[in-house]
Amino acid sequence: MEFFSCQKPEIYRCYAYGRLSRKDQKTRRDSDESNSIKNQRDLIHEYIGRHPYLELCMEGYDDNYSGTNFDRPHFQEMMRAIEEGKINCIVVKDLSRFGREHVDVGKYLRQFTSQNIRFIAILDIYDNIKETSSDHLVVSMKNLFNDNYCRDTSIKIRSHLDVRRRSGKFIGSFAAYGYRKDPEDKNHLLIDDEAAAVVQDIFAWKIDGMSNQAIADQLNQLGILSPMEYKQAKGVNYGSGYKVHAKALWSSVTVRRILTSVVYLGIMEQGKRTTPNYKVKREIQRPQEEWMRVEGTHDPIVSREDFDLVARLLMLDTRATPGGKTVYPLAGLLYCGDCRSSMARKPQKIDGQTYQYYVCGGHKSDAQKCSTHTTRAEMLEQAVLESLNFHIQSVKEMRQALEAISRRPAQKLEVSKLNRRVDTLQRELEKARETKDNLYRLYAQGEIDLEDFRNFKRIFEQDCQKAEQAIEAQQAQLDAILNSGSPTSPWIEYFQQFGQVDELTRGFAVKMIDQVNVFEGGYIEIVFRYHTEYERTRQFIELHAHASELKEAG
């Protein structure tokens, strides 16, 4: 007699899970839709429909999520459903759709088995309740292949992106504030006129003496949208972890980031951060020498002059005036001429009136180090203003002298000490070369032996080398003077743009002055910008004036 069991097979409550990464979308062929979310869903639904003991209870598909990271919304939903007892079976298209990190995939499969959770990978013909030792080996190998696929893909993508970065292509989801992506080429930046005007204002305000925080406050008071809010207002899906208010505001950090970004000079600087490998998503800072920097990739928003000036201002230790937004005109530019300490501004009351004085910072910290060098601020600033206007006038006169020199016939400009030195050295070099050539002839004719030939050859080669080095040094000195001798030299044009200065403002001071040294006794030394070029030009003019005198005397 046969006995038949009346117990019904267990009904498995299934979660249909699928995944598609951005890499999968980019690498698959147009005709190969096997990994699409729709195909995965259809395949799983058809499989469950053919098996009466499988019941579809829940489903979820993570689109644009990497298989190496299990922090996916629907994956986490599936794990919670297991904990809550809502499902006891997982059905996926294949193991790669579940995950590509072989260690974690193996961990989850062991966990499912221990929890009596059935796991089915349809195309891999894997079912953990029917698993044999050979199945376990096959699954392990497939997980390794899936993991290796991720590694190879990551290496190829990284290499491809680095090649594009080195060629100056913009690689990023969002353009820097002040720019927008070119509609015809997403790897090229175009100026966004509205935001670019704000960037230019930020640089101008910094030059005028405003602190980074004061600039941020000014922007917020004017109702100008911060970079994040501006992008969102333009319809860009942009978010940031720095947002702590309902509406992101300008901050000193944001302002400094703009003031120090070389993107506004038309320079593409990328590859500053990276991840150690395809498994670790935590970003690390790359060494600066590994950054990819390409100049002239897009139009600049600020000039090199203003950018370099702001970079210098950011290094100065300055404070805003009490109750004001800007710093004093000479803040950070004043130094004691004797001990080289910075000068400190100090108020002093005399007969009920408050006057501002500058005193030596070295004396303030250590009275034995230096004397006070006390200088009244108003008188010092007036002296600097007068010197500044005198310097501008001097540059104007230099330009007139250079224009006069440039109109002279070339033969009247041939006499100079440097030119004579170069000519003499050239003759010495030619003589040494000629002697060396004669040496070869004498050796070939047997008039000198090999040992003498080698000794003389070494001596003449040393003479030639010394003459060439001397010519190079003299020519470099001559070029330096001649390069400053044009009436349209950039540094001359720089000073010419200001004309007469009626008031010593912060903007004028930092644009024209590198440093002011105050010595004991009231002597003031002002180091203007382009002082090296100024001296070279002065020497150039004096050289030609002396040459003209010699010409007339001869």
Side-chain angles (χ1 to χ4, degrees), residues 47-114:
Y47 181 87
I48 292 176
R50 287 192 290 107
H51 295 78
Y53 303 114
L54 299 179
E55 177 186 346
L56 180 62
C57 294
M58 300 176 68
E59 63 181 325
Y61 302 89
D62 287 314
D63 200 359
N64 285 337
Y65 282 90
S66 169
T68 61
N69 182 4
F70 290 88
D71 187 17
R72 314 172 212 142
H74 289 292
F75 184 91
Q76 295 301 322
E77 177 189 72
M78 179 179 69
M79 297 305 294
R80 287 193 299 270
I82 292 174
E83 293 175 2
E84 295 168 2
K86 295 179 180 179
I87 63 166
N88 59 358
C89 181
I90 298 171
V91 184
V92 298
K93 177 200 164 202
D94 58 44
L95 287 166
S96 69
R97 297 305 93 202
F98 180 76
R100 288 190 182 275
E101 210 290 318
H102 77 281
V103 174
D104 285 337
V105 170
K107 181 191 72 174
Y108 280 114
L109 292 181
R110 291 191 296 273
Q111 176 182 330
F112 295 152
T113 300
S114 66

Side-chain angles (χ1 to χ4, degrees), residues 411-415 545-554:
Q411 60 267 24
K412 292 184 178 181
L413 302 177
E414 62 186 2
V415 180
H546 181 63
S548 297
E549 292 174 1
L550 291 176
K551 194 76 172 179
E552 292 174 1

Side-chain angles (χ1 to χ4, degrees), residues 280-492:
V280 180
K281 301 305 178 185
R282 176 180 56 84
E283 288 190 339
I284 59 174
Q285 188 79 14
R286 268 179 168 169
Q288 189 168 354
E289 59 270 17
E290 294 181 10
W291 295 358
M292 291 149 220
R293 180 186 175 107
V294 183
E295 298 190 13
T297 58
H298 52 277
D299 293 332
I301 291 178
V302 299
S303 67
R304 168 60 76 173
E305 287 286 348
D306 285 350
F307 188 88
D308 290 344
L309 178 56
V310 166
R312 185 166 67 94
L313 294 178
L314 289 172
M315 297 176 65
L316 297 178
D317 182 17
T318 57
R319 299 290 185 273
T321 58
K325 293 183 178 180
T326 61
V327 300
Y328 292 107
L330 297 177
L333 303 177
L334 285 171
Y335 294 87
C336 172
D338 296 306
C339 72
R340 300 303 175 186
S341 300
S342 59
M343 301 287 287
R345 192 178 178 103
K346 182 179 179 182
Q348 185 175 349
K349 279 192 175 183
I350 302 177
D351 298 331
Q353 286 286 101
T354 301
Y355 298 93
Q356 299 290 334
Y357 289 85
Y358 285 105
V359 297
C360 173
H363 173 81
K364 191 176 180 181
S365 60
D366 182 3
Q368 302 299 319
K369 182 178 181 180
C370 193
S371 62
T372 59
H373 288 56
T374 303
T375 306
R376 188 170 172 179
E378 183 180 354
M379 296 177 62
L380 176 62
E381 291 171 2
Q382 182 61 33
V384 170
L385 176 62
E386 293 174 1
S387 297
L388 195 153
N389 280 316
F390 179 82
H391 188 76
I392 292 175
Q393 180 62 32
S394 175
V395 173
K396 184 183 295 185
E397 292 172 357
M398 277 187 170
R399 179 172 185 169
Q400 293 171 352
L402 291 172
E403 289 175 345
I405 291 173
S406 66
R407 290 193 295 267
R408 296 175 187 172
Q411 60 267 24
K412 292 184 178 181
L413 302 177
E414 62 186 2
V415 180
S416 74
K417 181 170 62 176
L418 289 175
N419 277 329
R420 289 198 301 272
R421 288 179 180 175
V422 171
D423 290 342
T424 301
L425 290 169
Q426 287 283 9
R427 288 194 295 270
E428 291 179 0
L429 177 61
E430 289 300 322
K431 184 177 179 181
R433 286 173 175 170
E434 183 179 350
T435 303
K436 189 173 71 170
D437 292 340
N438 289 334
L439 185 65
Y440 282 106
R441 181 178 56 79
L442 293 173
Y443 173 69
Q445 294 175 352
E447 296 183 22
I448 60 174
D449 59 23
L450 179 60
E451 183 178 356
D452 287 340
F453 169 74
R454 287 175 175 172
N455 290 333
F456 285 125
K457 179 176 178 290
R458 184 177 65 256
I459 293 171
F460 290 126
E461 284 181 344
Q462 290 176 350
D463 290 343
C464 289
Q465 185 177 6
K466 289 179 181 178
E468 288 171 350
Q469 290 174 348
I471 290 172
E472 185 177 349
Q474 294 292 332
Q475 192 63 51
Q477 186 178 356
L478 180 60
D479 290 343
I481 294 177
L482 292 176
N483 289 338
S484 300
S486 170
T488 57
S489 294
W491 79 270
I492 293 179

Side-chain angles (χ1 to χ4, degrees), residues 35 41 82 117 137 154 179 218 251 254 259 298 363 365 367 386 408 429 433 448 508 551:
N35 282 333
R41 181 188 295 113
I82 292 174
I117 303 298
L137 179 60
S154 175
Y179 290 96
Q218 176 101 328
S251 68
T254 307
L259 292 173
H298 52 277
H363 173 81
S365 60
E386 293 174 1
R408 296 175 187 172
L429 177 61
R433 286 173 175 170
I448 60 174
F508 283 130
K551 194 76 172 179

